[in-house]
Amino acid sequence: MSGDAAMIEKSYAQAMVDALAFTLRGDPSSTVIGRGLTGHGSEADAERPLHEEFGDRIIDPPTSESLVVAVGTGAAAAGLKAFVHLGTASFAFEAVNQIVNEAANVHYMSGGQLTAPVVFQMYHGIRGGGGPQHSHSPQAMYANCAGLHVLLPSS
């Protein structure tokens, strides 16, 4: 980094909202599936601009992780670019079969005819008030599944 460049500081929630807005503006095949994208704390309202500008491309699904992952994977295989918010990473265990046996394998199992450009976003790790059932960090497990790529933003 040169001496003239300044680091932009923003919350993780705001950075995610900015990235989603950029993606949704630039690609009409992009869609968001999930509720409470920026959590339930002080950043909960950060996602409001997304709903105002792209409300028709943001789906607020029922609470069923396996359904949400299946819909996101199917939408991606059908040509959309899906961003699926699962909330707490612990909840992804409810959809592990769809993540590792469907989304991760669709390209290979179709002989390269299909792709599933889907992002599964989840918060992970110990957090205040979450308790053990909300504090898993399954990244290593997913990193060992062929067909999945794990990204962990940090700064």
Side-chain angles (χ1 to χ4, degrees):
M1 177 183 268
S2 73
D4 299 324
M7 175 84 65
I8 296 173
E9 290 188 28
K10 60 176 78 175
S11 68
Y12 177 82
Q14 189 57 56
M16 182 176 63
V17 167
D18 291 350
L20 286 172
F22 177 84
T23 300
L24 290 163
R25 278 187 202 107
D27 188 345
S29 69
S30 295
T31 188
V32 175
I33 303 169
R35 66 173 66 185
L37 300 172
T38 54
H40 303 292
S42 62
E43 297 281 348
D45 289 336
E47 69 185 80
R48 184 172 294 146
L50 288 176
H51 291 277
E52 291 169 358
E53 187 174 350
F54 308 104
D56 60 329
R57 292 166 51 200
I58 300 175
I59 299 166
D60 186 6
T63 302
S64 174
E65 290 77 10
S66 59
L67 169 87
V68 172
V69 169
V71 168
T73 302
L80 295 178
K81 293 184 180 100
F83 178 91
V84 177
H85 174 68
L86 291 169
T88 302
S90 300
F91 301 158
F93 290 128
E94 300 295 327
V96 74
N97 183 57
Q98 288 82 8
I99 293 170
V100 302
N101 285 322
E102 303 301 331
N105 291 337
V106 69
H107 183 71
Y108 173 75
M109 295 302 290
S110 69
Q113 296 178 54
L114 296 173
T115 61
V118 58
V119 171
F120 301 113
Q121 189 270 337
M122 54 193 89
Y123 299 113
H124 70 92
I126 297 171
R127 60 183 178 85
Q133 73 274 28
H134 290 83
S135 299
H136 289 96
S137 295
Q139 307 90 306
M141 182 184 79
Y142 291 127
N144 284 290
C145 294
L148 295 180
H149 301 274
V150 176
L151 303 171
L152 295 165
S154 61
S155 64

